[in-house]
Amino acid sequence: FIDAPLATVESRDPKGLYKKAREGKIKGFTGIDAPYERPENAEVHVRTDLLSVRQSVNKILEKLDEEGIHLQRKFRPIDEEEPGSCPSR
């Protein structure tokens, strides 16, 4: 379950869909005028407003490891401001 507060999700919206939904230009938009139902028993809960991309990926990989699904740990590098930082804050 990838999670972030609605304000954070809206601030990350490159297409401006949340803005359009708030203006009434898009109807039935989840979290705006349509309900959002959080998973009751998510196996993994990743708060992307609190974790960096790298931390979020590692949290998911750790859960997969626990379940016996072992994936490679080497991925293409990403730019992050500093270890442990979250650019959305």
Side-chain angles (χ1 to χ4, degrees):
F1 163 45
I2 305 301
D3 187 12
L6 184 58
T8 300
V9 174
E10 287 185 73
S11 73
R12 295 176 179 167
D13 180 17
K15 296 180 181 177
L17 297 177
Y18 282 93
K19 182 179 179 187
K20 289 177 183 176
R22 289 205 181 274
E23 293 170 347
K25 295 177 181 175
I26 300 175
K27 301 292 182 195
F29 202 83
T30 303
I32 304 298
D33 65 346
Y36 171 73
E37 297 178 17
R38 298 169 60 92
E40 291 181 17
N41 297 307
E43 294 177 5
V44 179
H45 185 178
V46 180
R47 285 286 307 263
T48 61
D49 60 318
L50 302 176
L51 300 173
S52 69
V53 171
R54 180 172 293 155
Q55 290 169 321
S56 297
V57 168
N58 284 333
K59 186 167 186 169
I60 294 166
L61 289 174
E62 287 170 11
K63 179 60 178 175
L64 290 171
D65 280 344
E66 289 173 14
E67 298 297 322
I69 302 169
H70 305 291
L71 300 176
Q72 68 175 348
R73 294 288 181 148
K74 185 175 181 180
F75 298 91
R76 62 184 166 82
I78 60 169
D79 292 328
E80 289 190 285
E81 293 178 18
E82 60 184 52
S85 72
C86 184
S88 67
R89 283 199 239 165

